[in-house]
Amino acid sequence: MPNMHKFDRRRFIKGAALGATALAAPAIIGRAAISTAKAAFEGESLIAVSWSGNYEQVFRETVIDPFNAKYGTKAETVGGWDQIVSQIKAAPADNPPFDVTVAEEYISSAGLAENLYLKTDRSKIPNLEAVYPWFYETRPDKAKEFGIPFGGGTCMLLVRKKLGLEPTSWQLLWDEKLAGKVTSDSAAWWWTLSVPAVMDKTSPGLDEMYDMATAEPLFAKLDQLKVARWYKDGAEQANLLNQEEADAAMSYSSDVYTFLTESPGEYLAALPQEGASAWADWYFKVRGTKHNDLADLFLNYMLEKETQDRFLAKSMIFMARKDVTVPEHWGSNYPKSNEDYHKMFQIITMDGWDKINANYQAYDDRMKLTVQRTSG
């Protein structure tokens, strides 16, 4: 095992990333009551991984910085994507590269399979009482014992406002009025594939996606798209839309927020009437952390109403708490009840990810065929 004194967690994270394409009254949180937590934890460090990009910046401004100001801690955040699990596995078991990590269904499943996360002591996280049940109702029983739900993102329909077309249905992407002016993601193709799956009501949720036999009609529906060009990342999507090469897109809520705020009045965006695919952002304590009690305090802080309100005000991430203040930029798209969550959002489940990954190459090859068939 490497010498712990020579293992630099921050250097490890940065190196690996470069290589990867309140409802309860004050309660005991770890070793201190909330009211005396500043004295207990002042000066202590904590590293939390959030999603790279704009999410990381918003997380730093609305979660990390206020937490440090309140408790006198030295928490920091670093961005991560699909390298999160491999980073933890590559580090010494008793000296992980970070203490807390974000994870959606795929990273949650992969990390749980490797026993990389610690079970949640709910008595240490009283703010869990404020969370929508939906977040737990979309997880397998064993997975419910680990981590806390923070929020989540979704796919949205984005259309240029001057066209006079309302983004009420995903079918708009196939409308002849938008022929040759549509774009969607060919890299994270599973989200593009989820669009016809959401439209198809023959199976519950996104079940059609999880077997190549039932997924083939979904690919066939994508074959009928008349795209301007497919995009592979957010920058390419922005170029296609801002240069008016495309007028409509299957976009992600984080990107939609950027389009709406940086180009006010240019676009309309909505969760179509059929609903949309989505992912839930959970945060886990990493096994071996030396900051177990501080991590509990941090996770509970993430679920405070003020924290959730701050993050929501600067994003289009839907939040876990039931009583958040919804900002104007969400319009009428924000869910108002647990029933709304079930109606509006379809998760690519942990089990679904296992099935897709078991046949990943076949899916990937089939999507490449779709791109070929629809690209000029």
Side-chain angles (χ1 to χ4, degrees), residues 3 16 19 26 105 144 179 182 196 205 267 276 316 357:
N3 186 316
E105 282 64 36
K144 297 174 184 178
V182 168
Y267 301 100
M316 289 193 76
N357 282 324

Side-chain angles (χ1 to χ4, degrees), residues 156-161 165-168 249 251-253 256-257 259-260 266-272 316 329-333:
M156 299 185 76
L157 179 56
L158 185 75
V159 63
R160 199 173 304 280
K161 187 176 182 179
L165 302 172
E166 295 293 328
T168 55
S251 191
Y252 304 109
S253 51
V256 166
Y257 176 77
F259 287 121
L260 295 182
E266 179 72 11
Y267 301 100
L268 297 173
L271 291 170
M316 289 193 76
H329 62 252
W330 262 97
S332 61
N333 290 289

Side-chain angles (χ1 to χ4, degrees), residues 104-106 108 131-144 149 151-152 205 210 278-282 318 338 340-353:
E104 37 59 90
E105 282 64 36
Y106 174 68
S108 294
V131 168
Y132 275 114
W134 175 85
F135 285 87
Y136 287 93
E137 291 163 356
T138 54
R139 294 229 148 180
D141 287 340
K142 181 181 179 182
K144 297 174 184 178
Y210 306 147
W279 58 94
D281 293 333
W282 287 59
F318 54 83
N338 201 62
D340 278 353
Y341 271 76
H342 279 289
K343 179 181 178 181
M344 297 165 67
F345 302 129
Q346 299 296 334
I347 293 287
I348 299 182
T349 63
M350 291 185 182
D351 179 60
W353 271 115

